[in-house]
Coordinates of all heavy atoms in Angstrom, one line a residue:
M9 N 13.2 50.4 50.2 CA 12.6 51.5 49.5 C 11.7 51.2 48.4 O 10.7 51.7 48.1 CB 13.8 52.4 48.9 CG 14.5 53.3 50.0 SD 15.8 54.1 49.2 CE 15.0 55.3 48.1
S10 N 12.0 50.0 47.6 CA 11.2 49.5 46.5 C 9.8 49.1 47.0 O 8.9 49.1 46.4 CB 11.9 48.3 45.8 OG 12.0 47.2 46.6
T11 N 9.8 48.5 48.3 CA 8.5 48.1 48.9 C 7.6 49.3 49.2 O 6.5 49.3 49.0 CB 8.7 47.2 50.1 OG1 9.6 46.1 49.8 CG2 7.3 46.5 50.6
I12 N 8.3 50.4 49.7 CA 7.4 51.6 50.0 C 7.0 52.2 48.9 O 5.7 52.7 48.6 CB 8.4 52.5 50.8 CG1 8.7 52.0 52.2 CG2 7.7 53.7 51.1 CD1 9.9 52.6 53.0
A13 N 7.8 52.2 47.7 CA 7.3 52.8 46.5 C 6.3 52.0 45.8 O 5.3 52.6 45.3 CB 8.6 52.9 45.5
L14 N 6.3 50.6 46.0 CA 5.3 49.9 45.5 C 3.9 50.1 46.1 O 2.9 50.2 45.5 CB 5.6 48.3 45.7 CG 4.6 47.3 45.4 CD1 4.4 47.2 43.9 CD2 5.2 45.9 45.8
A15 N 4.0 50.2 47.5 CA 2.8 50.4 48.3 C 2.1 51.8 47.9 O 0.9 52.0 47.7 CB 3.1 50.5 49.8
Q16 N 3.0 52.9 47.7 CA 2.6 54.2 47.3 C 1.9 54.0 45.9 O 0.9 54.7 45.7 CB 3.6 55.2 47.3 CG 4.2 55.5 48.7 CD 5.5 56.4 48.8 OE1 6.2 56.5 47.8 NE2 5.7 56.9 49.9
F17 N 2.6 53.3 45.1 CA 2.1 53.1 43.6 C 0.6 52.4 43.7 O -0.1 52.8 42.9 CB 3.0 52.3 42.8 CG 3.1 52.7 41.3 CD1 3.7 53.6 40.9 CD2 2.3 51.7 40.4 CE1 3.7 53.9 39.4 CE2 2.4 52.0 39.1 CZ 3.1 53.1 38.6
R18 N 0.6 51.5 44.5 CA -0.7 50.7 44.5 C -1.8 51.6 45.0 O -3.0 51.6 44.4 CB -0.6 49.4 45.4 CG -1.8 48.7 45.8 CD -2.5 48.3 44.4 NE -2.0 47.1 43.8 CZ -2.2 46.7 42.5 NH1 -2.9 47.5 41.7 NH2 -1.5 45.7 42.1
K19 N -1.5 52.4 45.9 CA -2.6 53.4 46.4 C -2.9 54.4 45.4 O -4.2 54.7 45.2 CB -2.1 54.1 47.7 CG -2.0 53.3 48.9 CD -1.6 54.1 50.1 CE -2.5 55.0 50.7 NZ -2.0 55.5 52.0
Q20 N -2.0 54.8 44.5 CA -2.2 55.7 43.4 C -3.1 55.0 42.3 O -3.9 55.7 41.7 CB -1.0 56.2 42.8 CG -0.1 57.1 43.8 CD -0.6 58.4 43.8 OE1 -1.1 59.1 42.9 NE2 -0.4 59.1 45.0
V21 N -2.7 53.9 41.9 CA -3.4 53.3 40.7 C -4.7 52.6 41.0 O -5.5 52.1 40.2 CB -2.5 52.4 39.8 CG1 -1.2 53.2 39.5 CG2 -2.0 51.1 40.7
G22 N -5.0 52.2 42.3 CA -6.2 51.4 42.6 C -6.0 49.9 42.4 O -4.7 49.5 42.1
P23 N -6.9 49.0 42.6 CA -6.7 47.6 42.7 C -6.5 46.9 41.4 O -6.2 45.7 41.4 CB -7.9 47.2 43.5 CG -9.0 48.1 43.1 CD -8.3 49.5 42.8
D24 N -6.8 47.4 40.3 CA -6.9 46.7 39.0 C -5.7 46.6 38.2 O -5.5 45.5 37.5 CB -8.2 47.3 38.1 CG -9.5 47.2 38.8 OD1 -9.6 46.2 39.6 OD2 -10.4 48.1 38.6
L25 N -4.8 47.4 38.2 CA -3.5 47.4 37.4 C -2.6 46.3 38.0 O -2.3 46.4 39.2 CB -2.9 48.7 37.4 CG -1.7 48.9 36.4 CD1 -2.0 48.9 35.1 CD2 -0.8 50.1 36.8
P26 N -2.2 45.4 37.2 CA -1.3 44.3 37.7 C 0.1 44.9 38.0 O 0.6 45.6 37.2 CB -1.2 43.2 36.6 CG -2.4 43.5 35.8 CD -2.6 44.9 35.9
L27 N 0.7 44.7 39.2 CA 2.0 45.2 39.5 C 3.0 44.1 39.8 O 2.5 43.1 40.5 CB 1.8 46.2 40.7 CG 1.2 47.5 40.6 CD1 1.1 48.2 41.8 CD2 1.6 48.2 39.4
I28 N 4.2 44.2 39.5 CA 5.2 43.2 39.9 C 6.1 43.9 40.9 O 6.7 44.9 40.7 CB 6.0 42.8 38.7 CG1 5.1 42.2 37.6 CG2 7.2 41.8 39.1 CD1 5.8 42.1 36.3
G29 N 6.3 43.1 42.0 CA 7.1 43.5 43.1 C 8.6 43.1 42.9 O 8.8 41.9 42.6
A30 N 9.4 43.9 42.9 CA 11.0 43.5 42.7 C 11.9 44.2 43.5 O 11.7 45.4 44.0 CB 11.3 43.8 41.3
G31 N 13.0 43.7 44.0 CA 14.0 44.3 44.8 C 14.2 43.6 46.1 O 13.2 43.9 47.0
G32 N 15.2 42.9 46.4 CA 15.4 42.3 47.6 C 14.6 41.2 48.2 O 14.5 40.9 49.4
V33 N 13.8 40.5 47.3 CA 13.0 39.3 47.6 C 14.1 38.1 47.7 O 14.7 37.8 46.8 CB 12.0 39.1 46.6 CG1 11.3 37.7 46.9 CG2 11.0 40.2 46.5
E34 N 14.0 37.5 48.9 CA 15.0 36.5 49.3 C 14.3 35.4 50.2 O 15.0 34.4 50.5 CB 16.3 37.0 50.0 CG 15.9 37.8 51.2 CD 17.1 38.2 52.0 OE1 18.2 38.2 51.4 OE2 16.9 38.7 53.2
S35 N 13.1 35.5 50.4 CA 12.4 34.5 51.4 C 10.9 34.6 51.2 O 10.4 35.6 50.5 CB 12.7 34.9 52.8 OG 12.3 36.2 53.1
V36 N 10.3 33.7 51.8 CA 8.7 33.9 51.8 C 8.3 35.1 52.4 O 7.4 35.8 51.9 CB 8.1 32.6 52.5 CG1 6.7 32.9 52.9 CG2 8.3 31.3 51.7
E37 N 9.0 35.5 53.4 CA 8.6 36.7 54.2 C 8.8 37.9 53.4 O 8.0 38.9 53.3 CB 9.5 36.9 55.5 CG 9.0 35.9 56.6 CD 9.5 34.4 56.4 OE1 10.4 34.3 55.5 OE2 8.9 33.6 56.9
T38 N 9.9 38.1 52.7 CA 10.1 39.3 51.8 C 9.4 39.2 50.6 O 8.9 40.2 50.1 CB 11.7 39.5 51.4 OG1 12.2 38.2 50.9 CG2 12.5 39.9 52.6
A39 N 8.9 38.1 50.1 CA 8.0 38.0 48.9 C 6.6 38.5 49.5 O 5.8 39.1 48.8 CB 7.9 36.5 48.4
F40 N 6.3 38.1 50.7 CA 4.9 38.4 51.2 C 4.8 39.9 51.4 O 3.8 40.5 51.2 CB 4.6 37.7 52.6 CG 3.2 37.9 53.1 CD1 2.2 37.2 52.5 CD2 3.0 38.9 54.1 CE1 0.9 37.5 53.0 CE2 1.7 39.1 54.4 CZ 0.6 38.4 53.9
A41 N 5.9 40.5 51.9 CA 5.9 42.0 52.1 C 5.5 42.7 50.7 O 4.9 43.8 50.8 CB 7.2 42.4 52.5
K42 N 6.1 42.2 49.7 CA 5.7 42.8 48.3 C 4.2 42.6 48.0 O 3.5 43.5 47.5 CB 6.6 42.1 47.2 CG 8.0 42.3 47.3 CD 8.4 43.7 47.1 CE 10.0 43.8 47.2 NZ 10.5 45.1 47.3
I43 N 3.7 41.4 48.2 CA 2.3 41.1 47.9 C 1.5 42.0 48.9 O 0.6 42.7 48.3 CB 2.0 39.6 48.3 CG1 2.8 38.8 47.3 CG2 0.4 39.4 48.2 CD1 2.8 37.3 47.7
A44 N 1.8 42.1 50.1 CA 1.0 43.0 51.0 C 1.0 44.4 50.6 O 0.2 45.2 50.9 CB 1.5 42.8 52.5
A45 N 2.2 44.8 49.9 CA 2.4 46.1 49.5 C 1.6 46.4 48.2 O 1.7 47.5 47.7 CB 3.9 46.5 49.4
G46 N 1.1 45.3 47.6 CA 0.2 45.5 46.5 C 0.6 44.9 45.2 O 0.1 45.0 44.1
A47 N 1.6 43.9 45.2 CA 2.1 43.3 44.2 C 1.2 42.0 43.8 O 0.9 41.2 44.6 CB 3.5 42.6 44.4
N48 N 1.0 41.9 42.5 CA 0.3 40.6 42.1 C 1.2 39.5 41.7 O 0.9 38.3 41.8 CB -0.6 41.0 40.8 CG -1.5 42.1 41.0 OD1 -1.4 43.2 40.8 ND2 -2.7 41.8 41.6
L49 N 2.4 40.0 41.2 CA 3.5 39.0 40.9 C 4.8 39.6 41.7 O 4.8 40.6 42.0 CB 3.8 39.0 39.4 CG 2.8 38.4 38.6 CD1 3.1 38.7 37.1 CD2 2.6 36.9 38.7
V50 N 5.7 38.6 42.0 CA 6.9 38.9 42.7 C 8.1 38.5 41.9 O 8.2 37.3 41.5 CB 6.9 38.4 44.2 CG1 8.2 38.7 44.8 CG2 5.7 38.9 44.9
Q51 N 9.2 39.3 41.7 CA 10.4 38.9 41.0 C 11.4 38.4 42.2 O 11.5 38.9 43.2 CB 11.0 40.1 40.4 CG 12.4 39.7 39.9 CD 13.1 41.0 39.3 OE1 12.7 41.4 38.1 NE2 14.0 41.5 39.9
F52 N 11.8 37.1 41.8 CA 12.8 36.4 42.7 C 14.0 36.2 41.7 O 14.1 35.3 41.0 CB 12.2 35.2 43.2 CG 13.1 34.3 44.0 CD1 13.6 34.9 45.1 CD2 13.5 33.1 43.7 CE1 14.5 34.1 46.0 CE2 14.2 32.3 44.4 CZ 14.8 32.7 45.6
Y53 N 15.0 37.1 41.9 CA 16.1 37.0 40.8 C 17.5 37.0 41.4 O 18.2 36.0 41.5 CB 15.9 38.1 39.8 CG 17.0 38.2 38.7 CD1 17.4 37.0 38.1 CD2 17.5 39.4 38.4 CE1 18.4 37.0 37.2 CE2 18.5 39.4 37.4 CZ 18.9 38.3 36.8 OH 19.8 38.4 35.8
T54 N 17.9 38.1 42.2 CA 19.2 38.3 42.5 C 19.5 37.2 43.6 O 20.6 36.5 43.5 CB 19.6 39.6 43.1 OG1 19.3 40.6 42.1 CG2 20.9 39.8 43.6
A55 N 18.7 37.0 44.6 CA 18.9 36.0 45.5 C 19.0 34.6 45.0 O 19.7 33.7 45.4 CB 17.7 36.0 46.7
L56 N 18.2 34.3 44.0 CA 18.2 33.1 43.2 C 19.6 32.8 42.6 O 20.2 31.8 42.7 CB 17.1 33.1 42.2 CG 17.0 31.8 41.4 CD1 16.4 30.6 42.2 CD2 16.1 32.1 40.2
V57 N 20.2 33.9 42.0 CA 21.4 33.8 41.3 C 22.6 33.5 42.4 O 23.3 32.6 42.2 CB 21.7 35.1 40.6 CG1 23.2 35.2 40.2 CG2 20.8 35.3 39.4
Y58 N 22.5 34.3 43.5 CA 23.7 34.2 44.5 C 23.5 33.1 45.5 O 24.5 32.6 46.1 CB 23.9 35.5 45.1 CG 24.6 36.5 44.1 CD1 23.7 37.5 43.7 CD2 25.8 36.4 43.6 CE1 24.2 38.5 42.7 CE2 26.3 37.3 42.7 CZ 25.6 38.3 42.3 OH 26.1 39.1 41.3
R59 N 22.3 32.8 45.8 CA 22.0 31.7 46.8 C 21.5 30.5 46.5 O 21.4 29.5 47.1 CB 21.2 32.4 48.1 CG 22.0 33.4 48.7 CD 21.6 33.6 50.1 NE 20.9 34.9 50.3 CZ 19.9 35.1 51.2 NH1 19.5 34.0 51.9 NH2 19.5 36.2 51.3
G60 N 20.8 30.5 45.2 CA 20.2 29.3 44.7 C 18.7 29.0 45.1 O 18.3 29.6 46.1
A61 N 18.0 28.2 44.4 CA 16.6 28.1 44.7 C 16.2 27.4 46.0 O 15.4 27.9 46.7 CB 15.9 27.3 43.5
R62 N 17.1 26.4 46.5 CA 16.7 25.8 47.7 C 17.0 26.6 48.9 O 16.3 26.4 49.9 CB 17.6 24.4 47.8 CG 17.0 23.4 46.8 CD 17.9 22.1 46.9 NE 17.5 21.3 45.8 CZ 18.0 20.1 45.6 NH1 19.0 19.6 46.3 NH2 17.7 19.3 44.6
S63 N 18.1 27.4 48.9 CA 18.5 28.0 50.1 C 17.7 29.4 50.4 O 17.7 29.9 51.4 CB 19.9 28.4 50.1 OG 20.3 29.1 49.0
S64 N 17.0 29.9 49.2 CA 16.6 31.2 49.4 C 15.0 31.4 49.1 O 14.5 32.4 49.4 CB 17.3 32.2 48.6 OG 17.4 31.8 47.2
G65 N 14.5 30.4 48.4 CA 13.2 30.6 47.9 C 12.1 30.4 49.0 O 11.0 30.9 48.9
G66 N 12.3 29.6 49.9 CA 11.2 29.2 50.9 C 10.3 28.3 50.4 O 10.3 27.9 49.2
S67 N 9.3 27.7 51.1 CA 8.5 26.7 50.7 C 7.1 27.1 50.6 O 6.5 28.0 51.3 CB 8.6 25.5 51.6 OG 7.9 25.8 52.8
P68 N 6.3 26.5 49.6 CA 4.8 26.8 49.8 C 4.1 26.5 51.0 O 3.2 27.3 51.4 CB 4.2 25.7 48.7 CG 5.4 25.5 47.8 CD 6.6 25.6 48.7
L69 N 4.7 25.6 51.8 CA 4.1 25.3 53.2 C 4.2 26.5 54.0 O 3.4 26.9 54.9 CB 4.7 24.1 53.7 CG 4.2 23.6 55.2 CD1 2.7 23.3 55.0 CD2 5.0 22.4 55.6
R70 N 5.5 27.1 54.0 CA 5.8 28.2 54.9 C 4.8 29.5 54.5 O 4.3 30.3 55.3 CB 7.2 28.7 54.8 CG 8.1 28.0 55.7 CD 9.6 28.4 55.6 NE 9.8 29.8 56.0 CZ 10.9 30.5 55.7 NH1 11.8 29.8 54.9 NH2 11.1 31.6 56.0
L71 N 4.6 29.6 53.2 CA 3.7 30.6 52.7 C 2.4 30.4 53.1 O 1.6 31.4 53.7 CB 3.8 30.8 51.2 CG 2.9 31.9 50.5 CD1 3.2 33.3 51.2 CD2 3.1 31.9 49.0
S72 N 2.0 29.1 53.1 CA 0.6 28.7 53.5 C 0.4 29.1 55.1 O -0.7 29.6 55.5 CB 0.3 27.3 53.2 OG -0.8 26.9 53.8
R73 N 1.5 28.8 55.7 CA 1.3 29.1 57.2 C 1.2 30.6 57.6 O 0.6 31.0 58.5 CB 2.6 28.5 58.0 CG 2.5 27.0 58.2 CD 3.7 26.5 59.0 NE 3.8 25.0 59.1 CZ 4.8 24.3 59.0 NH1 5.9 25.0 58.9 NH2 4.8 23.1 59.0
L74 N 2.0 31.4 56.8 CA 2.1 32.7 56.8 C 0.6 33.3 56.7 O 0.1 34.2 57.3 CB 3.0 33.4 55.9 CG 3.6 34.7 56.2 CD1 5.2 34.7 55.9 CD2 2.9 35.7 55.5
L75 N 0.0 32.8 55.6 CA -1.3 33.3 55.2 C -2.4 32.8 56.4 O -3.2 33.6 56.8 CB -1.8 32.6 53.9 CG -1.2 33.0 52.6 CD1 -1.5 32.3 51.5 CD2 -1.4 34.4 52.4
D76 N -2.2 31.7 56.8 CA -3.0 31.1 57.9 C -2.9 32.1 59.1 O -4.0 32.4 59.7 CB -2.6 29.7 58.4 CG -3.2 28.6 57.4 OD1 -4.0 29.0 56.6 OD2 -2.8 27.5 57.5
R77 N -1.8 32.3 59.5 CA -1.5 33.2 60.8 C -2.3 34.6 60.6 O -2.7 35.2 61.6 CB 0.0 33.6 60.9 CG 0.7 32.5 61.7 CD 1.9 33.1 62.4 NE 2.9 33.7 61.5 CZ 3.9 33.1 60.8 NH1 3.9 31.8 60.9 NH2 4.5 33.8 60.1
R78 N -2.4 35.0 59.5 CA -3.2 36.3 59.2 C -4.7 36.1 58.9 O -5.3 37.2 58.5 CB -2.4 37.1 58.0 CG -1.1 37.6 58.5 CD -0.3 38.2 57.3 NE 0.9 38.9 57.8 CZ 2.0 38.3 58.1 NH1 2.1 37.1 58.2 NH2 3.0 39.0 58.5
G79 N -5.0 34.9 58.8 CA -6.4 34.6 58.6 C -6.8 34.8 57.0 O -8.0 35.2 56.8
L80 N -5.8 34.7 56.2 CA -6.1 34.8 54.8 C -6.2 33.5 54.0 O -5.5 32.5 54.2 CB -4.9 35.6 54.1 CG -4.6 37.0 54.7 CD1 -3.3 37.4 54.3 CD2 -5.7 38.0 54.3
A81 N -7.2 33.4 53.2 CA -7.6 32.2 52.5 C -6.6 32.1 51.3 O -6.4 30.8 50.9 CB -9.0 32.1 52.1
S82 N -6.1 33.0 50.6 CA -5.3 32.8 49.5 C -4.3 34.1 49.3 O -4.5 35.0 50.0 CB -6.2 32.8 48.3 OG -6.7 34.1 48.1
I83 N -3.3 33.8 48.5 CA -2.4 34.9 48.0 C -3.1 36.2 47.6 O -2.8 37.3 47.9 CB -1.3 34.4 47.3 CG1 -0.5 33.3 47.8 CG2 -0.4 35.6 46.8 CD1 0.5 32.7 46.9
A84 N -4.2 35.9 46.7 CA -5.0 37.1 46.2 C -5.6 37.9 47.2 O -5.7 39.1 47.0 CB -6.0 36.4 45.2
D85 N -6.0 37.2 48.3 CA -6.5 38.0 49.5 C -5.6 39.0 50.1 O -6.0 39.9 50.9 CB -7.2 37.0 50.5 CG -8.4 36.4 50.0 OD1 -9.0 36.8 49.0 OD2 -8.8 35.4 50.5
A86 N -4.2 38.6 50.0 CA -3.2 39.4 50.6 C -2.6 40.6 49.8 O -2.1 41.5 50.4 CB -2.0 38.5 50.9
V87 N -3.1 40.7 48.5 CA -2.6 41.8 47.7 C -3.1 43.1 48.2 O -4.3 43.4 48.3 CB -3.0 41.6 46.3 CG1 -2.6 42.7 45.4 CG2 -2.4 40.3 45.7
G88 N -2.1 43.9 48.6 CA -2.4 45.4 49.0 C -2.9 45.4 50.4 O -3.3 46.6 50.7
I89 N -2.9 44.5 51.3 CA -3.5 44.7 52.6 C -2.6 45.6 53.5 O -3.0 46.1 54.5 CB -3.6 43.3 53.3 CG1 -2.3 42.6 53.6 CG2 -4.6 42.4 52.7 CD1 -2.4 41.3 54.4
E90 N -1.4 45.9 53.1 CA -0.5 46.7 53.9 C -0.1 48.1 53.3 O 0.9 48.7 53.6 CB 0.8 46.0 54.4 CG 0.6 44.8 55.1 CD 0.2 45.0 56.6 OE1 0.3 46.1 57.1 OE2 -0.2 44.1 57.2
T91 N -0.9 48.5 52.3 CA -0.5 49.8 51.6 C -0.5 50.9 52.4 O 0.2 51.9 52.2 CB -1.5 50.0 50.4 OG1 -2.8 50.0 50.8 CG2 -1.1 49.0 49.3
N92 N -1.2 50.9 53.6 CA -1.3 52.3 54.3 C -0.2 52.3 55.3 O 0.1 53.4 55.8 CB -2.6 52.1 55.2 CG -3.8 52.4 54.4 OD1 -3.7 53.2 53.4 ND2 -5.0 51.9 54.8
N93 N 0.7 51.4 55.4 CA 1.8 51.6 56.3 C 3.1 51.3 55.5 O 4.2 50.7 56.0 CB 1.9 50.7 57.7 CG 1.9 49.3 57.4 OD1 1.9 48.8 56.2 ND2 2.0 48.4 58.3
G94 N 3.1 51.5 54.2 CA 4.3 51.5 53.3 C 4.8 50.1 53.0 O 5.9 49.7 52.7
G95 N 3.8 49.0 53.1 CA 4.1 47.7 52.9 C 4.8 46.8 53.9 O 5.1 45.8 53.8
R96 N 5.0 47.7 55.2 CA 5.7 46.9 56.2 C 4.7 45.9 56.9 O 3.5 46.3 57.3 CB 6.2 47.9 57.1 CG 7.5 48.5 56.6 CD 8.1 49.5 57.6 NE 7.1 50.6 58.0 CZ 7.1 51.7 57.1 NH1 7.8 51.9 56.0 NH2 6.3 52.7 57.4
T97 N 5.1 44.7 56.9 CA 4.2 43.7 57.7 C 4.6 43.7 59.2 O 5.7 43.7 59.4 CB 4.4 42.3 57.1 OG1 5.7 41.9 56.9 CG2 3.7 42.3 55.7
P98 N 3.7 43.5 60.1 CA 4.1 43.6 61.6 C 4.7 42.3 61.9 O 4.7 41.3 61.2 CB 2.6 43.6 62.2 CG 1.6 43.4 61.1 CD 2.3 43.5 59.9
Ligands
FMN105 C1 24.5 39.1 38.3 C2 23.5 40.1 38.1 C3 23.8 41.3 37.4 C4 22.8 42.3 37.3 N1 23.1 43.5 36.5 C5 22.2 44.4 36.3 C6 22.6 45.5 35.5 O1 23.7 45.7 34.9 N2 21.6 46.5 35.4 C7 20.3 46.4 36.0 O2 19.6 47.3 35.9 N3 20.1 45.3 36.7 C8 20.9 44.4 37.1 N4 20.6 43.3 37.7 C9 19.3 43.2 38.3 C10 19.2 44.0 39.6 O3 20.2 43.8 40.4 C11 17.9 43.5 40.3 O4 17.1 42.6 39.5 C12 17.2 44.5 40.9 O5 17.9 45.3 41.8 C13 15.9 44.0 41.7 O6 16.3 43.2 42.7 P1 15.8 41.7 42.8 O7 16.6 40.9 41.8 O8 16.2 41.3 44.3 O9 14.4 41.6 42.6 C14 21.6 42.3 37.8 C15 21.3 41.1 38.7 C16 22.2 40.1 38.8 C17 21.9 38.8 39.7

């Protein structure tokens, strides 16, 4: 629900207002979903507390591969690319 709300918020405010995605981020994939829904920054908190940085954060390499698969050159290019389907990534 927080990702859907984020995507709707991004659509309402346009591209310039910095937004922080929060709620349920536990991996590179769930962090990317927030970015694709329009987040400029992502909060990684509860999963960090309960599972620790090594087991739940994912690696920059995995994020880099995820960007490559979508033909994106940078994280900035991914901000808001999925706002039309509620932030859900295929
Ligand atoms: C141990 C712990 C206790 C928390 N207690 C509260 C709380 O009392 N009130 C609150 O609004 N958020 C609290 N939070 C934060 C929210 O659970 C959490 O930040 C929010 O749901 C967003 O999810 P995220 O941490 O996955 O981004 C707590 C988080 C942790 C890890």
Side-chain angles (χ1 to χ4, degrees):
M9 286 179 67
S10 65
T11 307
I12 293 167
L14 173 65
Q16 290 171 346
F17 206 82
R18 174 55 76 200
K19 283 178 83 169
Q20 294 280 324
V21 300
D24 296 330
L25 185 73
L27 298 178
I28 301 171
V33 174
E34 58 177 8
S35 63
V36 166
E37 288 74 18
T38 49
F40 186 82
K42 298 291 185 198
I43 295 165
N48 304 96
L49 295 169
V50 177
Q51 171 181 288
F52 174 62
Y53 178 42
T54 302
L56 180 68
V57 171
Y58 290 107
R59 290 206 249 147
R62 286 187 190 169
S63 60
S64 53
S67 73
L69 183 61
R70 274 180 64 199
L71 180 56
S72 172
R73 285 189 187 135
L74 204 147
L75 292 172
D76 280 350
R77 277 207 302 274
R78 288 167 170 78
L80 299 164
S82 71
I83 294 172
D85 291 340
V87 174
I89 59 170
E90 299 285 348
T91 51
N92 284 328
N93 65 358
R96 286 180 294 277
T97 48

